[in-house]
Amino acid sequence: MQSKRNLIAKTLGLSATFLMLHNTVPALAGEVEKAVEYRQGVMNVFNWNMKAMGDMMKGKTEFDQARFAAHAQELSSASTFKLMNGFPEDSESDESDALAEIWMDFEDFESKYQDFGSAAQALAKAAQGGDKGSMGAALKETGKSCKACHKKYKN
Ligand code: HEC
């Protein structure tokens, strides 16, 4: 990391200290694409589990408490991924639906991810409890936390 910082600093004619203080390294073109793939991959993990639980709640597939709980657990685990690493500064691209607003208020973006994490953990807890009404309510809250972020930060 250190040597990469130095290399980038040299290329850009900036001091390594400046970059260190800035605490972010501008993403290079190939790295942007990798970051986009990573974050979209994580989103697809979220979506896979949310859809399976949603379908059960809607009666599209048979409700199975153990299967629901397994999906809730997987979502909760995935919510601990260091997703923010997939959003290096200004990593916009044609392949991405991420909005520039993310890097204008990164703290707020991060706090939306934390809100989602709390919701996902509450969902996993409700699923262990096994009360269908509580599970449905917690699933709805989790869905809201996805939308709260998408509304502001996704195309
Ligand atoms: C902290 C903000 C945030 C949260 C929370 C969040 N997302 Fe996203 N999501 C994004 C952003 C930003 C993108 C666009 C990423 C890109 O294209 O680079 C995205 C993209 C997606 C995509 C499209 C992925 C693709 O292949 O292009 C899906 C599906 C998705 N999110 C589902 C979810 C679900 C389901 C949840 C909740 C369980 C969720 N997201 C929570 C910010 C968030």
Side-chain angles (χ1 to χ4, degrees):
M1 202 61 198
Q2 189 60 48
S3 64
K4 198 171 97 188
R5 265 211 185 88
N6 288 336
L7 181 70
I8 292 166
K10 222 165 130 189
T11 315
L12 300 179
L14 299 167
S15 81
T17 319
F18 169 84
L19 286 177
M20 234 132 77
L21 288 175
H22 204 60
N23 200 28
T24 47
V25 174
L28 301 169
E31 295 193 348
V32 169
E33 296 318 320
K34 279 186 208 150
V36 169
E37 277 177 24
Y38 168 72
R39 69 204 188 202
Q40 291 180 346
V42 172
M43 289 296 158
N44 284 308
V45 171
F46 294 169
N47 206 43
W48 169 266
N49 289 291
M50 284 300 282
K51 184 165 187 325
M53 288 185 280
D55 285 352
M56 271 188 248
M57 275 296 161
K58 286 179 210 145
K60 280 192 190 173
T61 54
E62 198 185 330
F63 183 78
D64 175 334
Q65 199 253 324
R67 208 161 65 81
F68 189 103
H71 281 296
Q73 188 52 54
E74 188 168 320
L75 185 69
S76 170
S77 300
S79 78
T80 67
F81 288 172
K82 305 285 178 231
L83 179 66
M84 295 302 120
N85 291 343
F87 289 94
E89 182 122 37
D90 298 333
S91 53
E92 289 175 81
S93 93
D94 292 345
E95 309 298 320
S96 167
D97 286 327
L99 296 178
E101 276 73 7
I102 291 171
W103 299 282
M104 291 171 189
D105 196 350
F106 202 75
E107 260 177 45
D108 179 67
F109 181 68
E110 197 165 9
S111 85
K112 295 232 169 341
Y113 185 52
Q114 281 159 8
D115 292 346
F116 154 68
S118 307
Q121 274 156 42
L123 174 61
K125 213 170 167 190
Q128 270 167 16
D131 175 65
K132 198 177 171 185
S134 311
M135 287 152 83
L139 182 63
K140 214 168 161 184
E141 284 306 310
T142 307
K144 274 191 207 162
S145 75
C146 312
K147 285 194 195 104
C149 189
H150 288 173
K151 206 174 147 201
K152 216 167 158 187
Y153 296 114
K154 179 181 169 290
N155 243 330

